[in-house]
Each structure stands twice: as structure tokens, then as C-alpha cells.
Amino acid sequence: APIKKNDLPYARFASKLLSGGMDSPLFKLIREEHALAYFVYGMPNILSLNCCSFDVITLVSKENRDFAFELIEKVLTEPEKYVSRERFEDLHFAYKIALEKEEIERYINVSKFIAPYETSIDYIIDKNLLSYESCIDFIRRCAANLYRFSDKN
């Protein structure tokens, strides 16, 4: 299924879940276990008012490009093997507490026309729409639309 604008908060949360911090699945796999790159991170990308993408970004040598792509694909196609329920709960809880204590600023965006509140992580946490299953489902849908982009498509 295509990634729609209402998937954007899940893309934002999934980016933290998959690549936020040194204990994230992508960081551990790409950098720590295989030493393929110095950094790896996922990020949502608003393509239009109705569509977004979830991008995984890293810099690897040409010799390691295919292997790195296979590893990223593996994490996206089998997220439950790499993202534990405990990691999800810890991140979800941290966001909730930080929002309640106002340790992180609530919804900030340059243009509310492009990305209204309904597309923020705040929204899915406030409305209790975020679950481990919904995140895993989102990640799997990203894998179903996997597109490889590099200097040599």
C-alpha cells in the first residue's frame, strides 16, 4: 500500500524506532555488526500534500552498497526480528513523558498547511493511536514499496 500523509506520524516514530540512537536496529546492524558505515538513519520525507516516503540514509563504499541495501531491506521486511516490543514501549513511554513534562516542544512545523498537527507524533500519542503492531505494519508497508536509490540506480 502506498504511504499516505496520514502515515507520516508513523514514519516519524518509525525513524526513531529503527535508527534513533546507538542501540537502534539499523545502527547496530550497519555500523556495529558489519562496520559498513559511520552513520545510518531513517527519516520521513513529505513528497506532496497526500504522500510521504520513509527514507533510510547512509554512506557506504561502492563495494559494500549491495550488502548494506540487503541488510536494510532485511530490517524493513522482518521488523519484528529487529525491533523488540520492549524498544517500542521504551521509546513510546519516553515520548509520552517528555511531552507531558514539556521537555520537548510539542508540534513545531514551519508550514501547518504542508504538515498539520494530525501528521505529528504528538497526535498519535495524544490520541492513543500508536501501537507496536501499527508500527510494525507501517514498516512492512515501507518494505513493500522499497525503492533503491544510489549514485547508480
Side-chain angles (χ1 to χ4, degrees):
I3 302 168
K4 302 290 186 189
K5 187 172 75 171
N6 60 353
D7 289 322
L8 192 53
Y10 296 98
R12 289 183 169 147
F13 192 83
S15 72
K16 303 294 184 207
L17 196 62
L18 293 171
S19 65
M22 295 174 71
D23 66 337
S24 69
L26 286 172
F27 185 88
K28 287 193 297 190
L29 197 59
I30 299 293
R31 180 176 171 173
E32 299 297 316
E33 290 180 29
H34 296 285
L36 297 175
Y38 184 72
F39 74 91
V40 59
Y41 63 92
M43 66 179 227
N45 184 12
I46 300 173
L47 302 173
S48 72
L49 291 177
N50 298 314
C51 183
C52 72
S53 68
F54 179 73
D55 303 337
V56 176
I57 300 160
T58 190
L59 292 173
V60 296
S61 68
K62 288 182 180 183
E63 297 80 30
N64 292 325
R65 181 177 45 213
D66 291 336
F67 183 51
F69 184 78
E70 288 171 18
L71 293 173
I72 292 166
E73 184 177 30
K74 198 173 189 180
V75 170
L76 295 177
T77 56
E78 303 174 86
E80 64 285 343
K81 289 185 179 179
Y82 297 93
V83 178
S84 68
R85 189 174 291 273
E86 180 181 20
R87 177 171 171 77
F88 169 84
E89 295 295 340
D90 288 348
L91 184 61
H92 185 249
F93 182 73
Y95 262 102
K96 245 181 152 166
I97 295 300
L99 288 169
E100 286 172 9
K101 290 184 172 184
E102 296 181 0
E103 291 175 351
I104 58 175
E105 293 187 49
R106 281 195 162 268
Y107 178 67
I108 297 174
N109 194 51
V110 175
S111 172
K112 291 185 180 181
F113 176 69
I114 292 174
Y117 169 68
E118 291 77 19
T119 65
S120 70
I121 293 174
D122 307 15
Y123 178 76
I124 58 176
I125 289 176
D126 290 343
K127 301 289 184 186
N128 290 318
L129 300 174
L130 188 61
S131 68
Y132 177 76
E133 291 75 16
S134 64
C135 278
I136 294 297
D137 177 61
F138 171 78
I139 295 166
R140 279 197 193 110
R141 285 190 289 126
C142 289
N145 293 294
L146 202 56
Y147 172 76
R148 179 180 175 167
F149 181 83
S150 69
D151 62 341
K152 287 189 171 186
N153 281 340

